[in-house]
């Protein structure tokens, strides 16, 4: 471990953001073991000082001139020493340079776990760093996992690394990171599974464990995780701009050093910051969202949803609704391969917001009649909408927990009925697997004879809304049938 070297101490007292970037750069470039405890304490100290008192409104223009309150070397050294004592006081260091064992990982997790405050609001902001742990004995779910990895680094186990899904964190260890272990809790009211292997149970098919395609971090990617976890929120609606600027500068440092190449969510975080306040003329935030998607496709077999919702959210905010529909259809194309489980609430809420807030909002705007180039005339928008809904239906299929309910069907029917019949007729649905899947479930809602009552019902629904008699040359699942089939 690089440790807290004299050249790092020389940067103190820290008065500017640029000094923090220099500290991170020297830790990242000079050694292959950047000191996770040191960097987490420094970042946590800055974040907590700048978001705890009313600091809003300070003029922020550049890393060099933005004045930070002085951060004294002594404060950091005392906390750093305290962490070392907490860890080495309870677990013997790895003198023989061997691989960590499950027992060792569990013991480090127990040290952190048993030293946390008995009960506190776990979802509060600013509970992710070792500063929070050492000064307030509070950590969030991610913070516990990070602290365990930092603790194992202090003990000299360089094989223990952070593994990240889109809503959970655990550790890998042993030869080639072949072993996995839970070290923290997940969600509310769930018994923690600390010490157990990952994804052996039914959770194997849940989005929470991303089909065993987590981001397995190097030490430098663990630094990227702590930087991504920086939370600039002063309160629900205001950010401390100097904290956001510091996070953006550090993410660019990590990006330039190549440490974000396999970390889609960190690239997405940088894209969100760049949309608000671009710092790099050559790289548009839209290019960053595409890069995150490419990384998820290349390194994680396209099993991650968030890269598409980062991109969809960007298009939505910038009124590029046709493109947003495509991103959201791609997100749905990922989730359909999973089985919905009770641990997947976060992504459920994401899809619910898209289906029942964002899409209805877009429909309202687009059907206000003032949109010359309305998406209601574009068949590929209709196609992507169907793909979006179909993915959610397939997500539900085979799951123990239902996804859809009437609250989904109303906005869904309302949305689809806004497209003109001639636009809908241009969409060719190839029911390669859907037909037999659906017919397997509850009698075919597709059949090739024309007395298909679903078909008549569908036509009736559609013709009522469009007052045009149309002859469709294709069969569609009626929305009720689709919803019924999905809610099996
Ligand atoms: C498109 C979105 C709704 C925007 N922000 C999103 N985030 C997803 C989660 N975020 C993350 N960003 C970097 N790394 C990680 S690791 C992790 C799981 C946790 F348990 F460790 C979450 C996460 C950042 C914010 S997804």
């Amino acid at each position: 471990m690089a440790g807290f070297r004299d050249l790092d101490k020389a940067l103190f007292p820290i008065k500017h953001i640029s000094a923090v970037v220099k500290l991170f750069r020297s830790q990242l470039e000079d050694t292959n073991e950047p000191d996770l405890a040191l960097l987490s304490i420094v970042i946590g100290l800055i974040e907590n000082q700048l978001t705890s008192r009313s600091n809003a409104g300070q003029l922020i223009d550049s890393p060099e001139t933005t004045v930070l309150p002085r951060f004294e070397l002594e404060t950091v050294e005392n906390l750093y020493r305290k962490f070392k004592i907490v860890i080495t006081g309870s677990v013997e260091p790895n003198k023989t340079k061997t691989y960590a064992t499950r027992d060792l990982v569990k013991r480090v997790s127990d040290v952190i776990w048993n030293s946390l405050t008995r009960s506190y609001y776990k979802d509060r902001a600013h509970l992710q760093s070792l500063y929070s742990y050492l000064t307030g004995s509070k950590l969030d779910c991610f913070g516990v996992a990070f602290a365990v990895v930092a603790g194992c680094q202090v003990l000299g186990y360089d094989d223990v690394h952070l593994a990240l899904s889109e809503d959970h964190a655990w550790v890998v260890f042993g030869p080639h990171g072949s072993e996995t272990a839970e070290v923290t809790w997940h969600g509310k009211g769930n018994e923690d599974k600390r010490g157990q292997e990952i994804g052996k149970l039914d959770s194997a098919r849940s989005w929470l464990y991303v089909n065993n395609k987590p981001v397995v971090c190097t030490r430098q990617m663990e630094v990227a995780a702590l930087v991504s976890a920086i939370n600039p929120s002063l309160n629900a609606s205001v950010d401390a701009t100097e904290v956001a600027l510091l996070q953006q500068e550090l993410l660019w440092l990590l990006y330039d050093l190549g440490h974000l190449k396999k970390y889609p969510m960190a690239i997405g975080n940088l894209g969100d910051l760049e949309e608000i306040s671009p710092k790099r003329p050559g790289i548009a935030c839209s290019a960053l969202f595409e890069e995150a998607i490419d990384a998820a496709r290349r390194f994680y077999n396209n099993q991650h949803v968030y890269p598409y919702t980062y991109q969809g959210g960007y298009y939505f905010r910038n009124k590029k609704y046709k493109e947003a529909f495509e991103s959201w259809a791609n997100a749905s194309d990922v989730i359909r391969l999973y089985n919905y489980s009770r641990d997947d609430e976060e992504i459920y809420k994401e899809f619910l917001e898209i289906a029942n807030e964002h899409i209805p909002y877009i429909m309202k705007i687009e059907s206000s009649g003032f949109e010359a180039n309305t998406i209601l005339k574009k068949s590929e928008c209709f196609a992507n909408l169907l793909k979006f809904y179909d993915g959610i239906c397939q997500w539900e299929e085979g799951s123990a927990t239902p996804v859809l309910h009437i609250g989904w069907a109303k906005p869904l029917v309302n949305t689809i009925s806004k497209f003109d019949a001639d636009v809908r007729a241009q969409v060719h649905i190839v029911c390669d697997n859907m037909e037999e899947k659906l017919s397997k479930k509850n009698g075919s809602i597709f059949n090739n004879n024309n007395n298909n009552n679903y078909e008549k019902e569908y036509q009736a629904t559609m013709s009522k809304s469009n007052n045009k008699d149309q002859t469709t040359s294709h069969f569609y699942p009626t929305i009720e049938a689709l919803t019924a089939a999905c809610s099996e």
Side-chain angles (χ1 to χ4, degrees):
M1 174 171 54
F4 200 179
R5 305 159 304 174
D6 292 345
L7 76 102
D8 302 320
K9 296 180 182 179
L11 292 166
F12 285 81
I14 285 179
K15 288 177 280 190
H16 294 294
I17 286 175
S18 50
V20 185
V21 175
K22 275 201 196 85
L23 170 66
F24 272 74
R25 182 185 291 280
S26 77
Q27 282 283 323
L28 287 164
E29 285 187 335
D30 298 356
T31 72
N32 61 8
E33 275 283 331
D35 190 321
L36 299 179
L38 170 63
L39 298 177
S40 181
I41 289 167
V42 169
I43 281 296
L45 172 63
I46 294 171
E47 174 178 320
N48 276 273
Q49 302 275 58
L50 291 174
T51 58
S52 54
R53 52 193 171 79
S54 67
N55 218 39
Q58 193 198 99
L59 179 67
I60 311 297
D61 45 14
S62 82
E64 289 68 34
T65 58
T66 304
V67 177
L68 298 172
R70 287 167 65 96
F71 297 105
E72 300 297 343
L73 171 60
E74 193 190 354
T75 315
V76 174
E77 263 180 331
N78 291 340
L79 291 172
Y80 185 72
R81 200 174 298 120
K82 179 177 177 182
F83 184 67
K84 283 198 155 183
I85 291 168
V86 164
I87 296 294
T88 53
S90 317
V91 186
E92 57 291 335
N94 175 20
K95 291 194 175 39
T96 55
K97 290 284 159 245
T98 53
Y99 287 119
T101 61
R102 183 169 303 278
D103 174 60
L104 178 276
V105 167
K106 179 62 168 56
R107 271 188 290 137
V108 177
S109 175
D110 286 345
V111 170
I112 303 293
W113 189 266
N114 295 327
S115 57
L116 295 176
T117 307
R118 270 293 136 259
S119 78
Y120 56 95
Y121 178 48
K122 306 289 190 297
D123 291 344
R124 219 181 68 196
H126 316 305
L127 299 185
Q128 75 288 51
S129 74
L130 289 188
Y131 177 86
S132 168
Y133 171 63
L134 293 162
T135 60
S137 304
K138 293 180 193 64
L139 283 170
D140 59 23
C141 157
F142 164 82
V144 168
F146 181 86
V148 171
V149 176
C152 291
Q153 183 183 41
V154 163
L155 293 171
Y157 291 97
D158 60 3
D159 60 309
V160 180
H161 285 288
L162 194 58
L164 303 169
S165 77
E166 299 191 297
D167 188 42
H168 192 29
W170 58 91
V171 301
V172 298
F173 60 97
H176 314 295
S178 52
E179 298 295 325
T180 64
E182 298 272 9
V183 291
T184 185
W185 79 87
H186 178 264
K188 286 190 171 44
N190 305 327
E191 200 49 35
D192 73 272
K193 300 187 268 189
R194 289 182 314 113
Q196 295 174 28
E197 273 190 288
I198 298 303
K200 286 286 156 204
L201 310 168
D202 65 327
S203 58
R205 299 237 13 101
S206 69
W207 163 76
L208 189 70
Y209 291 98
V210 283
N211 213 4
N212 216 15
K213 294 283 178 191
V215 174
V216 178
C217 294
T218 60
R219 281 282 178 261
Q220 292 76 18
M221 288 168 75
E222 280 141 13
V223 175
L226 85 85
V227 171
S228 280
I230 290 173
N231 186 338
S233 314
L234 257 174
N235 56 46
S237 46
V238 179
D239 277 3
T241 33
E242 57 278 62
V243 178
L245 179 59
L246 173 59
Q247 182 178 35
Q248 198 168 355
E249 294 294 323
L250 291 174
L251 283 172
W252 274 124
L253 169 67
L254 288 152
Y255 179 93
D256 293 337
L257 294 174
H259 300 314
L260 303 193
K261 280 197 183 331
K262 298 184 176 180
Y263 197 164
M265 289 185 287
I267 301 171
N269 290 334
L270 182 54
D272 280 349
L273 291 163
E274 282 291 300
E275 180 188 351
I276 296 164
S277 152
K279 295 277 179 284
R280 197 59 72 98
I283 303 181
C285 59
S286 52
L288 291 169
F289 296 124
E290 273 152 26
E291 215 177 298
I293 288 167
D294 290 342
R297 287 175 174 167
R298 274 185 65 200
F299 303 112
Y300 305 107
N301 192 27
N302 201 32
Q303 301 292 300
H304 295 186
V305 177
Y306 280 153
Y308 297 107
T309 49
Y310 272 109
Q311 187 187 55
Y314 166 73
Y315 283 137
F316 174 64
R317 291 188 295 270
N318 291 276
K319 306 191 182 329
K320 298 186 165 196
Y321 298 140
K322 174 167 160 290
E323 294 80 357
F325 281 2
E326 185 176 350
S327 303
W328 291 334
N330 287 334
S332 184
D333 225 20
V334 172
I335 201 69
R336 70 188 171 87
L337 302 171
Y338 288 106
N339 284 340
Y340 180 56
S341 106
R342 52 193 293 278
D343 290 322
D344 294 345
E345 279 94 353
E346 281 311 307
I347 203 65
Y348 173 86
K349 287 188 288 190
E350 199 62 33
F351 279 108
L352 194 69
E353 184 184 40
I354 294 166
N356 297 353
E357 308 288 331
H358 297 340
I359 291 174
Y361 170 83
I362 293 171
M363 286 300 132
K364 192 157 62 58
I365 299 277
E366 289 293 309
S367 52
S368 63
F370 300 103
E371 303 297 329
N373 188 22
T374 175
I375 57 169
L376 299 181
K377 301 266 184 232
K378 296 191 164 79
S379 58
E380 66 265 40
C381 294
F382 184 62
N384 278 324
L385 259 184
L386 287 185
K387 191 172 159 190
F388 171 74
Y389 292 130
D390 174 50
I392 297 172
C393 287
Q394 288 196 48
W395 181 26
E396 180 172 59
E397 279 180 40
S399 302
T401 325
V403 175
L404 296 163
H405 52 67
I406 192 67
W408 288 78
K410 284 187 177 124
L412 192 152
V413 174
N414 191 285
T415 297
I416 289 188
S417 63
K418 287 259 181 7
F419 285 85
D420 290 0
D422 56 306
V423 174
R424 294 196 319 273
Q426 293 163 41
V427 172
H428 302 258
I429 299 182
V430 179
C431 299
D432 44 359
N433 66 340
M434 185 138 116
E435 185 161 350
E436 81 265 354
K437 277 180 94 164
L438 287 171
S439 60
K440 215 169 30 211
K441 291 177 75 68
N442 62 346
S444 170
I445 64 171
F446 291 87
N447 58 38
N448 289 327
N449 55 25
N450 270 311
N451 66 0
N452 170 351
N453 55 347
Y454 286 124
E455 187 50 32
K456 286 201 182 83
E457 201 178 296
Y458 178 81
Q459 295 314 335
T461 312
M462 286 306 149
S463 56
K464 195 165 39 188
S465 56
N466 293 299
N467 299 323
K468 281 184 223 138
D469 63 332
Q470 75 262 309
T471 50
T472 42
S473 56
H474 309 280
F475 287 108
Y476 296 92
T478 62
I479 303 305
E480 288 70 15
L482 197 64
T483 313
C486 294
S487 58
E488 280 304 294

